[in-house]
Amino acid sequence: MAAAQKSALYAREREATREWLEELTRHVEAVLVGNGVAEPKMVPEAPKSIKDIGEEFARRLQCVSEFVGGLTQAQTAAEIRARKATELGQRLTSVLNVLPDPVLVVNEFERVEIANDAARELLGLTNCAKDEGGSCQGNELFRELMDRIRRQRVRDAHFDWEGDYGDGRHFHFRVLVREWPLDRPETSAISGLTIVLEDTSPLANLRKRHAEFVSAVSHEMKAPLAGIRAYVELLADEDVDETTRDEFVATIESQIERLQRLIENLLNLARIEAGIMKVKKQNYSLNEILEDAARVMRPHAEQKHIDFQCELSPLYLSVVADRDLLLQAAINLLSNAIKYTPDGGRVILRSRMEEEYAVFEVEDTGVGLSPEDCQRVFERFYRVESHKNMAPGTGLGLPLTKHIVEDVHGGRIAVRSEIGRGSTFVVEIPRAVAMGGSFNRTMSVGSR
């Protein structure tokens, strides 16, 4: 009997111990995966036979739970920091890729680790993984750039780099090089270089055009001044008769007028670009302005027996314009057409309405322009080489006309031409209705 009771008691304690172990196991698993916290009151109570062991195990489990909780919090904080770092890296990458100038970072082995889109395209870094930190090699331009940087005695510096893309196009860069150190306080070694390439091609082209401009102005002024000086020296000769003297004086006056036109055109261009030209705009009939221009230029056409025709629109083409400047633009175009049309040719002045624009065009049967000349004809002092002996000029008439049409009146000017068949210059001026009705105002105009 006593043995049976003892056996039953042992069986109950064993079952209680098994159930306690199973519950304890579930609790430990929950703690280890971070889904629970081992507080003493939450740990299942051990059977009486192993109560001391159970209490000690509960204390140990609480310590483990606190440690796991700390690890979980640290992991969460690390994940947040990593996510923020990823987002910051993506934003920085986006910012770098927006920059038009190439930017790249090379490591101590001179291999590229970071490069924006502009650098990838210029230096052939297309094999670099955008989302990985893998190094990559570049093209011949990249190797030339790194060779230039190696030759610099002071690597934390800047220098000018000029070269050829290989397809006939030239480049001008200002290269800025900055060293960045290793993130290890025990060493002062250089880890790599940050390289920024600033495209200075527009500045180089501007300097070139400025030099060409100064040269052209000097040349245009030198010819009339030399003529004036020569005729003045001839006039000093007492053997010159009255008739010859009058011819010399007339020649001097024509050269002075040429200089005056050159200076006036230069001043007008400078005023428009600097924004200091006072422009008085009012409502005008475009046809009336064109008729005045035709009246001024018709005698010149008759001298060359040129068939000068006016085909003006019967509609009232209202424009908001500075009458004097727009008249000057029309006269410049007609003058060029007459000068470069052979005797017996034809010049036609037309006008019409096109949507929100009042349009006029000057068509001639002159010598015409090549496609290259059509692209450059509005540049200052540009004159077609084969046309220089046909008529005198400064090469400023068409550039001034372009400024008057586009900068002053917000219009457009274009040319279509064929060598040997003539040219057509088309000018579009916004109509008064398209600009919001009639008005009268004075304004300053500069380059757009």
Side-chain angles (χ1 to χ4, degrees):
M1 185 69 179
Q5 291 177 347
K6 186 175 181 180
S7 176
L9 178 62
Y10 176 74
R12 286 196 300 272
E13 289 181 352
R14 185 177 61 184
E15 179 65 20
T17 301
R18 185 184 64 77
E19 293 176 354
W20 177 76
L21 287 174
E22 289 179 353
E23 179 66 22
L24 185 64
T25 299
R26 287 193 294 270
H27 194 74
V28 170
E29 289 176 349
V31 169
L32 292 177
V33 298
N35 293 330
V37 179
E39 296 181 3
K41 62 181 180 180
M42 296 178 63
V43 177
E45 185 176 355
K48 293 181 180 179
S49 59
I50 55 172
K51 184 175 182 180
D52 294 340
I53 297 175
E55 290 176 351
E56 178 63 24
F57 193 87
R59 286 193 296 272
R60 298 292 179 89
L61 183 59
Q62 183 180 4
C63 294
V64 171
S65 177
E66 292 174 354
F67 178 73
V68 170
L71 289 178
T72 301
Q73 293 178 357
Q75 179 183 5
T76 302
E79 290 175 351
I80 293 174
R81 288 194 298 271
R83 186 167 59 252
K84 289 182 177 180
T86 300
E87 292 174 354
L88 178 60
Q90 292 173 346
R91 287 197 295 268
L92 290 175
T93 299
S94 299
V95 170
L96 286 176
N97 288 334
V98 168
L99 296 176
D101 293 331
V103 179
L104 63 153
V105 175
V106 297
N107 59 22
E108 63 268 32
F109 304 108
E110 296 186 353
R111 293 179 63 86
V112 179
E113 293 190 345
I114 300 173
N116 66 352
D117 288 346
R120 295 173 192 277
E121 181 178 356
L122 173 69
L123 303 175
L125 307 175
T126 54
N127 294 328
C128 295
K130 291 188 176 183
D131 299 327
E132 300 177 3
S135 300
C136 61
Q137 295 289 350
N139 57 15
E140 185 63 32
L141 283 180
F142 172 71
R143 291 186 285 275
E144 180 183 340
L145 172 63
M146 295 310 300
D147 185 58
R148 288 288 305 274
I149 292 175
R150 285 189 218 101
R151 293 202 302 265
Q152 297 294 316
R153 293 185 177 180
V154 180
R155 302 186 74 182
D156 193 6
H158 52 78
F159 58 90
D160 292 320
W161 181 34
E162 299 181 14
D164 195 316
Y165 288 112
D167 55 2
R169 295 180 299 126
H170 298 278
F171 63 79
H172 301 261
F173 285 107
R174 185 70 168 169
V175 181
L176 176 66
V177 183
R178 289 291 181 267
E179 296 176 326
W180 48 280
L182 291 166
D183 294 329
R184 296 196 294 269
E186 67 274 8
T187 178
S188 59
I190 297 300
S191 177
L193 300 173
T194 300
I195 305 169
V196 180
L197 280 67
E198 180 186 359
D199 187 4
T200 58
S201 298
L203 181 59
N205 291 335
L206 183 62
R207 289 172 178 168
K208 180 180 178 182
R209 291 185 63 183
H210 179 267
E212 292 174 348
F213 173 78
V214 173
S215 176
V217 170
S218 301
H219 175 76
E220 290 296 332
M221 287 188 170
K222 184 185 297 183
L225 287 173
I228 292 172
R229 179 176 181 178
Y231 282 103
V232 168
E233 290 176 353
L234 290 173
L235 284 174
D237 189 349
E238 297 180 356
D239 295 335
V240 177
D241 57 55
E242 192 67 27
T243 302
T244 305
R245 185 181 298 274
D246 292 341
E247 292 177 358
F248 288 174
V249 170
T251 302
I252 292 173
E253 288 178 348
S254 68
Q255 295 299 321
I256 291 175
E257 290 175 359
R258 179 181 173 185
L259 273 176
Q260 185 175 358
R261 287 195 303 271
L262 173 64
I263 293 171
E264 287 177 353
N265 285 336
L266 285 172
L267 288 175
N268 285 334
L269 280 171
R271 290 185 185 118
I272 292 174
E273 292 183 342
I276 60 175
M277 172 172 278
K278 297 297 181 181
V279 177
K280 297 181 180 179
K281 289 188 175 182
Q282 297 182 22
N283 265 341
Y284 288 103
S285 165
L286 176 62
N287 284 345
E288 291 181 1
I289 297 175
L290 297 179
E291 287 171 354
D292 289 344
R295 192 176 302 112
V296 171
M297 296 309 302
R298 190 174 297 279
H300 298 274
E302 292 174 350
Q303 289 177 2
K304 297 182 66 176
H305 307 288
I306 289 175
D307 180 15
F308 186 15
Q309 302 176 14
C310 288
E311 299 177 0
L312 303 183
S313 170
L315 301 175
Y316 182 82
L317 304 181
S318 178
V319 293
V320 178
D322 183 302
R323 184 186 181 284
D324 293 339
L325 289 177
L326 193 56
L327 175 63
Q328 183 63 55
I331 289 175
N332 287 349
L333 294 178
L334 288 172
S335 175
N336 274 5
I338 293 171
K339 283 193 299 185
Y340 298 109
T341 296
D343 291 8
R346 184 176 66 252
V347 172
I348 304 175
L349 175 62
R350 297 189 182 96
S351 69
R352 63 181 181 273
M353 182 186 299
E354 283 188 3
E355 298 179 351
E356 70 271 23
Y357 290 98
V359 181
F360 76 90
E361 63 183 35
V362 177
E363 178 184 336
D364 64 60
T365 58
V367 291
L369 301 168
S370 69
E372 180 184 357
D373 292 329
C374 288
Q375 293 180 351
R376 299 193 59 191
V377 75
F378 294 108
E379 296 180 8
R380 295 179 185 178
F381 295 108
Y382 180 77
R383 299 193 66 200
V384 180
E385 193 65 32
S386 59
H387 297 179
K388 290 183 177 180
N389 295 328
M390 293 186 64
T394 62
L396 290 174
L398 287 178
L400 179 59
T401 299
K402 182 179 176 69
H403 276 293
I404 291 173
V405 171
E406 297 185 351
D407 296 330
V408 176
H409 293 94
R412 297 180 295 201
I413 184 170
V415 59
R416 57 180 184 269
S417 183
E418 186 176 346
I419 292 179
R421 303 195 64 175
S423 305
T424 301
F425 285 83
V426 182
V427 174
E428 298 177 346
I429 303 295
R431 293 191 295 120
V433 175
M435 296 184 66
S438 62
F439 61 95
N440 183 336
R441 69 175 182 178
T442 300
M443 58 185 294
S444 296
V445 173
S447 292
R448 290 180 299 172

